[in-house]
Amino acid sequence: MKTRWFTNPIWVYSWIWIFVMLVYNLRWSNYYNNLSVKLISFFCITFFLSFIGGYILEITKKNKFKEIPVSYYNLTMLLFLWVGYILEFLYSGGVPLLLVLKGSFGNYKDFTGIPTFHVILASYTIFLGVYFFHQFVSTKTNKKLLMFLILAVFPNLLVLNRGAIMITLIACLIIYLMKQNIVKITKMIKIVLGVLVVLFLFGQLGNVRNELSADNKEYILSLGGATDEFISGNVPFEYYWGYLYIASPLGNLDNLVNNYDPKFDIHNVPNLMFEFTPDFISNRLRLIFNDGEIEDISNYLVVESLNAPTVYFRSYFLLGWIGMWSMYFFSMFSVICYLFILPTSGKYYLTGLGILSSIIILNTFGNMWISSGTVLIWPLIFSLFDKIKIKNNA
């Protein structure tokens, strides 16, 4: 099977939402009803448009693997990363993972690091991990690069940043599939098994970093309204974390569509624009424009503590179907523009493509353009540095 079907960011959009719908229909929770016809129709139309739009990237050869050499600056880049985290740990008074294990750290969200600097460092960590992986698969076997890769990803574990770990792993999987070009059934089985292992560990980490589930492993079952069939079945309870994270955002969106009829308000147009902007910018713009919610969005969550909303949730809340369609077209336009701006022949192109695909995939959980869009800046910055360096050497 040609892997391009699963590495093209626009086609990835369709595959991931189909996967989410299949997981949703496992019916492991008593809280989620059948999806509304309107919502299913919306997704079916976007799947059709994405199928057509994906060919733009195929025709222009934007979805091809390219090997890159080992960078001379790897050690320097890694040192900058670790110096940054050492400063963060000193500023915050300890390492979050160790503090949680000692029971002296109430919640992983308590760790915010150095204001502004933490956002920059977290995005740089994701970029560096994916970039090192691209070098690693390009050189086949390089133990030094493998060590660099582990050291680049490890800080995410120390700060219990599951989101960053997932972005990095998904981006690396995309690059790995591009490298393979064609995947045999045996490799597909290995990939599926690998995903199952990741989901299991994801559940284990969820139990560790959540104070209530750390003491009671069945807490997540009661929280998510697990069905009797799931509880009495043979599926390990750790997978229920993954199920809820995958299914609850779609359930929340469906609940919003069924129970909220937004009235068009011209004042919500700027608010919708903030949905397309990284949070460190949009948060400041909201203060300037005094943006406030007309109504509490949490009223439309199926379970208030399961508040993952999908990328479409707030868009619909602000401007209804106009908002959702605006978000879809913004996402597709951003994918195409970004891949045409980032030099295809450059060392950082596949790093950018992999991260972009991760954002599209994780948009099923929330608005990643806001929370993680800043990561996409790093491939552009380093590509610009390379261009300047080449001109100076010419």
Side-chain angles (χ1 to χ4, degrees):
M1 179 183 291
K2 290 280 188 180
T3 60
R4 64 178 185 174
W5 289 101
F6 304 102
T7 59
N8 183 313
I10 298 181
W11 287 343
V12 161
Y13 166 87
S14 298
W15 291 122
I16 189 58
W17 278 108
I18 289 172
F19 171 73
V20 168
M21 289 179 174
L22 291 174
V23 171
Y24 183 89
N25 280 289
L26 287 173
R27 299 300 181 82
W28 286 353
S29 173
N30 292 308
Y31 295 151
Y32 302 121
N33 302 316
N34 292 330
L35 294 175
S36 66
V37 174
K38 289 182 180 179
L39 192 58
I40 293 174
S41 299
F42 168 80
F43 279 116
C44 286
I45 295 172
T46 62
F47 295 162
F48 175 74
L49 294 175
S50 298
F51 180 77
I52 296 173
Y55 274 105
I56 295 175
L57 301 184
E58 295 302 315
I59 293 170
T60 53
K61 298 182 179 179
K62 296 290 182 181
N63 186 27
K64 296 187 72 175
F65 181 81
K66 178 180 179 291
E67 291 186 348
I68 58 173
V70 177
S71 174
Y72 176 78
Y73 300 102
N74 281 342
L75 181 58
T76 304
M77 296 167 78
L78 188 63
L79 286 174
F80 271 114
L81 179 76
W82 275 95
V83 168
Y85 276 102
I86 289 171
L87 291 174
E88 288 238 288
F89 297 150
L90 291 173
Y91 176 87
S92 303
V95 180
L97 177 62
L98 299 180
L99 293 175
V100 166
L101 294 175
K102 286 168 59 179
S104 56
F105 200 69
N107 192 299
Y108 72 99
K109 291 181 180 178
D110 293 341
F111 180 78
T112 55
I114 303 171
T116 305
F117 178 74
H118 177 71
V119 176
I120 297 171
L121 183 63
S123 62
Y124 177 68
T125 307
I126 295 170
F127 159 76
L128 198 60
V130 179
Y131 177 52
F132 281 173
F133 181 80
H134 185 196
Q135 292 180 62
F136 178 71
V137 295
S138 295
T139 57
K140 297 180 181 177
T141 54
N142 188 316
K143 292 182 180 179
K144 186 177 180 180
L145 258 178
L146 179 60
M147 181 59 65
F148 279 7
L149 174 60
I150 294 170
L151 290 173
V153 176
F154 191 63
N156 290 322
L157 181 61
L158 294 180
V159 297
L160 298 171
N161 192 339
R162 288 192 299 179
I165 293 173
M166 293 305 294
I167 293 173
T168 305
L169 288 176
I170 293 170
C172 291
L173 176 60
I174 293 293
I175 293 174
Y176 172 78
L177 289 174
M178 293 182 76
K179 164 78 171 177
Q180 299 303 308
N181 190 33
I182 296 176
V183 176
K184 296 179 180 179
I185 297 298
T186 52
K187 280 195 175 180
M188 284 295 291
I189 293 173
K190 289 179 181 178
I191 291 172
V192 170
L193 290 175
V195 171
L196 290 174
V197 170
V198 169
L199 287 174
F200 182 84
L201 295 175
F202 184 80
Q204 289 276 34
L205 186 55
N207 287 333
V208 169
R209 73 174 195 167
N210 187 292
E211 196 171 359
L212 292 173
S213 60
D215 297 328
N216 179 15
K217 297 298 187 293
E218 295 185 6
Y219 164 75
I220 191 64
L221 302 180
S222 59
L223 177 68
T227 61
D228 292 336
E229 289 79 5
F230 177 81
I231 294 173
S232 60
N234 297 318
V235 179
F237 290 171
E238 282 80 4
Y239 283 111
Y240 203 71
W241 278 99
Y243 166 76
L244 282 182
Y245 265 77
I246 294 169
S248 62
L250 183 57
N252 288 332
L253 179 62
D254 184 66
N255 191 56
L256 178 70
V257 169
N258 288 331
N259 296 292
Y260 180 66
D261 185 19
K263 301 294 187 289
F264 182 82
D265 185 348
I266 193 66
H267 298 293
N268 278 335
V269 174
N271 295 338
L272 181 64
M273 295 300 104
F274 299 151
E275 294 300 292
F276 310 146
T277 313
D279 53 7
F280 77 94
I281 296 175
S282 60
N283 288 342
R284 286 161 177 77
L285 291 176
R286 285 192 176 97
L287 291 175
I288 295 172
F289 289 97
N290 294 318
D291 172 41
E293 295 294 355
I294 299 172
E295 187 177 346
D296 188 0
I297 286 182
S298 65
N299 293 333
Y300 298 98
L301 301 173
V302 179
V303 179
E304 190 170 350
S305 56
L306 299 175
N307 55 9
T310 85
V311 70
Y312 290 120
F313 191 94
R314 186 174 158 87
S315 300
Y316 181 88
F317 183 82
L318 292 170
L319 288 176
W321 293 106
I322 294 175
M324 284 184 66
W325 279 110
S326 298
M327 178 56 75
Y328 170 75
F329 285 116
F330 165 79
S331 298
M332 295 303 106
F333 182 75
S334 297
V335 169
I336 293 172
C337 285
Y338 183 79
L339 294 181
F340 273 89
I341 292 173
L342 195 61
T344 311
S345 59
K347 295 184 294 184
Y348 309 102
Y349 178 78
L350 287 192
T351 299
L353 184 146
I355 294 169
L356 188 61
S357 296
S358 286
I359 288 175
I360 294 296
I361 289 171
L362 294 175
N363 270 341
T364 55
F365 304 115
N367 190 340
M368 299 301 292
W369 299 116
I370 287 180
S371 60
S372 301
T374 49
V375 186
L376 294 170
I377 297 174
W378 289 107
L380 293 173
I381 291 175
F382 279 94
S383 294
L384 181 61
F385 284 164
D386 267 11
K387 190 175 182 180
I388 294 172
K389 186 171 65 175
I390 291 172
K391 281 187 177 180
N392 290 337
N393 292 335

